[in-house]
Amino acid sequence: MAPQLDGYFKQVDLMADSFISRLRSAVAIPSVSADPDLRPKVVAMANFLEAELKALGASVEKRLPGKQPGHPNLDLPPILLGRYGNDAKKRTILVYGHYDVQPALKEDGWATEPFDLTVDEQDRMYGRGSTDDKGPVLGWINAIEAHQKAGVEFPVNLLMCFEGMEEYGSEGLDDIIKEEASKFFKDAEAVCISDNYWLGTEKPCLTYGLRGCSYYSLTVSGPAQDLHSGVFGGTVTEPMTDLVRLLATLVDNKGKIQIPGLNELVAPLTDEEKELYNDISFEMSDLFHSLGSETSIHLNKEDTLMARWRYPTLSIHGIEGAYSAPGAKTVIPAKVIGKFSIRTVPNMEPDKVDELVFKFVGAEWKKLSSNNTMKCELQHSGNWWVASPKHWNFSAASKAVERVFGVKPDLTREGGSIPVTLTFEQATGKNVLLLPMGSSTDAAHSINEKLDKRNYVEGTKLLGAYLHYVAEEAQV
Amino acid sequence: MAPQLDGYFKQVDLMADSFISRLRSAVAIPSVSADPDLRPKVVAMANFLEAELKALGASVEKRLPGKQPGHPNLDLPPILLGRYGNDAKKRTILVYGHYDVQPALKEDGWATEPFDLTVDEQDRMYGRGSTDDKGPVLGWINAIEAHQKAGVEFPVNLLMCFEGMEEYGSEGLDDIIKEEASKFFKDAEAVCISDNYWLGTEKPCLTYGLRGCSYYSLTVSGPAQDLHSGVFGGTVTEPMTDLVRLLATLVDNKGKIQIPGLNELVAPLTDEEKELYNDISFEMSDLFHSLGSETSIHLNKEDTLMARWRYPTLSIHGIEGAYSAPGAKTVIPAKVIGKFSIRTVPNMEPDKVDELVFKFVGAEWKKLSSNNTMKCELQHSGNWWVASPKHWNFSAASKAVERVFGVKPDLTREGGSIPVTLTFEQATGKNVLLLPMGSSTDAAHSINEKLDKRNYVEGTKLLGAYLHYVAEEAQV
Ligand SMILES: [Zn+2]
Ligand SMILES: [Zn+2]
Ligand SMILES: [Zn+2]
Ligand SMILES: [Zn+2]
């Protein structure tokens, strides 16, 4: 039986202004996790959420992950564990969000005060954290409140995990998720994370895959200190010459990785998977708009999306230790560290990727017969993630999108990584759904971050509707 | 007739402590030309020299080159033009030096206060500017004073040009040299510059050649702004991939420049020139000591010195716009600027070098068939310089070295450039000699800059002796 949602939807519309006020109060707290000086504001934001939840009858526990690594006197902010409802006859759904934000200064080029939510004539709500991730977090709270005011029974037991260090590496989160998997989270039957974005601006999406990332450094060193190119040029084997020659072997400018064996690790494209790309609402002009140029590798939508989502890529990020300032300096750098990373996809095992990278770089280094010293090291790696978009968690979300927006959602993957996704999947063993609220133009992490009023209000409806559908969806 | 120098030498020895005091007073003035806040100290240093010279009966004029480019309210320090002696029967010799110094802070790692001349047990005198170039500048003043005190007639008319912006591009100097060539400098018959270093620590040298430098930037751009490699990796043609591939084509790690036609511009090695290398006091261990490693390209002294002095070299200095900080950042840089330079030698015409570079880079770029944009530009260039070491200016200096140190000097060239050398040669049309005072271990431009007491005291004798020999040397 299709859930009865009209009363809830009407109530959300009635409360739209009050929900915007709630977002304004949240944005006003500059909970910047990267800035130790603003740590009290991150804590204040946790307290704000705790108070809002408790006022609605939810229970809230705090987990304190301890001190921040490298900062022996700086407490990490609490991880909030919330529960709303405890009815054994209902499904239990675990949702995640973060209440910290990226840094923001008016001087960076913001058109408005970043911590003062400002709504323009086109109902775009500008403010740091509006879309990433305060809007979505408040969406869950709004949903609870609207159910209460509308007198509609809340369809599930809702478990909430809200952290305050996401924008700074989610320090301390993994251990607590693993620990609580059999405790606070033990009843969870599915997980929903709202912390990414629609592919475009009109059509919602459900996200079922993320690429992993293996990040390497490639160090070439020789002389004990930087040298003057006039005095030593011609007499010393220059580390920079070796390094650019090594970096040039890794990938061609059409994106083809040159490391033997690497592309063979990629899961073959099935007809079924290929089908999924046809319907996706995406144009090459969207890509060109994001790039600010037409310098794409591929010429059509399908190849572009597959290159972004389901094929690996290798990017060279830069060189540490060489001359990087404007102007001209005649230095021979003594030790240079090239940085590159590979975005990984199913079925690339990170250990196998490392092995192939080290083997290839070692062989190319040998070809150079240099008397410098070379060292290739893994800096960090995170695995890719892919879920089945046919799981009941996804089909419920799909129905909710159709009900609220009148369209089937795009089924998307993302090129980047959201490491907590994999952590939740592995710790709980349950299906994880990424259900974004914001759109592709929201500029999370940039100046003038915004959330459209439509995305916030209809998004609140969507989160509530999702809970109704997921409560009823047959397990398949 | 060999000059009678014993009285002068004895006087220098007697006055050694007083000369060291003079150097201590000069080092105490932090005349850092790069720091606008210290500009009054640069002017104070000019005033100090002016007073010392006038006290000895020299006349001093000041030339003011105007405001510093880019600093409409900052006066460039004066260029001091000094004259000691005006006897039509004597030769007139023009000497050059600079009274400004590199920046220095104790925190940079100095063992002593950088602006407090500190003499250790081995008679090494530590202090910023001790060897570069206050010691040599004071050497000329010491020589005048010792002649007076010893009652020895000064053998030449001495013209002096002391500038205060050498460590910051010699702003304003060239125009004044050109203007004064037919005025203040018009009697000059030869030029002597003391602002470089011995090849080692024991044996003085005369320097007759310098390499030029043509510095290029290679810009590759595509997207309008930096991109996240997770989101855009695989979909965009990455400028960094193009750039490292281009840079890798320029030179191999044995120092061989890969630009067709470039090596063919180099003047062939004659037997006569080859001869000069045999006697030079230099060991591969000296190079290894300077490098702090044994990562040399060549295995013997002759090849190493020729590679440094008489063959071109290409160094890649770094990349602007890419990620250069420590740590790991997953950025796709939107616009990257590679910096490289070619040290040029006879007979490479700078214009021809530019032409070959642009042609080669353009052809390599075409091979990449990239949809990014590439631009290769000359940043600055300075021509090489080579003088005849058989000129009377050099033979006089050689005799002076033999007289003071008991050895024939090394005849050296340098890999770097001292642009003022070429300016003086071209403006006056006279032979220019580089006659260094300091040794290879003096660490000019580094922390713990020093000048050995021996180099200062015997160097003062050398400058005076040179003036005696150059006064008598037959023109050939
Ligand atoms: Zn986020
Ligand atoms: Zn974020
Ligand atoms: Zn100097
Ligand atoms: Zn210098």
Side-chain angles (χ1 to χ4, degrees), chain B residues 56-206:
Chain B
L56 294 169
S59 63
V60 178
E61 299 180 20
K62 285 175 175 168
R63 296 291 180 271
L64 297 170
K67 303 294 179 187
Q68 183 167 330
H71 294 261
N73 299 312
L74 187 64
D75 284 316
L76 289 166
I79 292 164
L80 297 184
L81 302 181
R83 170 182 276 275
Y84 183 67
N86 202 346
D87 180 343
K89 294 186 301 295
K90 291 180 182 171
R91 270 203 172 135
T92 300
I93 301 297
L94 168 59
V95 302
Y96 161 90
H98 63 90
Y99 61 82
D100 62 318
V101 297
Q102 285 278 322
L105 294 170
K106 182 86 161 63
E107 306 87 275
D108 294 341
W110 283 72
T112 59
E113 284 296 335
F115 296 104
D116 182 3
L117 191 80
T118 309
V119 188
D120 73 4
E121 327 73 55
Q122 292 170 273
D123 282 340
R124 293 179 296 209
M125 307 187 291
Y126 290 93
R128 176 56 88 217
S130 54
T131 195
D132 182 19
D133 188 35
K134 289 178 174 176
V137 165
L138 298 186
W140 298 112
I141 296 174
N142 297 339
I144 294 171
E145 191 183 17
H147 275 85
Q148 291 181 357
K149 290 265 164 67
V152 176
E153 188 183 353
F154 206 72
V156 299
N157 302 312
L158 190 68
L159 297 179
M160 291 161 272
C161 176
F162 298 143
E163 68 153 322
M165 285 300 286
E166 198 275 343
E167 302 292 7
Y168 205 76
S170 290
E171 296 278 15
L173 180 67
D174 277 17
D175 287 345
I176 286 174
I177 292 175
K178 283 172 201 159
E179 203 177 308
E180 300 296 341
S182 59
K183 297 176 185 167
F184 199 91
F185 304 148
K186 74 171 189 303
D187 299 332
E189 289 160 273
V191 182
C192 178
I193 297 176
S194 189
D195 188 23
N196 65 318
Y197 307 93
W198 298 356
L199 194 54
T201 56
E202 288 306 311
K203 201 171 155 197
C205 67
L206 313 182

Side-chain angles (χ1 to χ4, degrees), chain A residues 238 242 253 315 317 327 331, chain B residues 238 242 253 315 317 327 331 339:
Chain A
E238 302 191 15
D242 283 333
N253 70 353
S315 295
H317 307 296
V331 66
Chain B
E238 302 190 16
D242 283 334
N253 70 353
S315 296
H317 307 295
V331 65
K339 313 275 177 83

Side-chain angles (χ1 to χ4, degrees), chain A residues 73-87:
Chain A
N73 299 311
L74 188 64
D75 284 316
L76 289 166
I79 293 163
L80 297 185
L81 302 182
R83 171 182 275 275
Y84 183 66
N86 202 345
D87 181 340

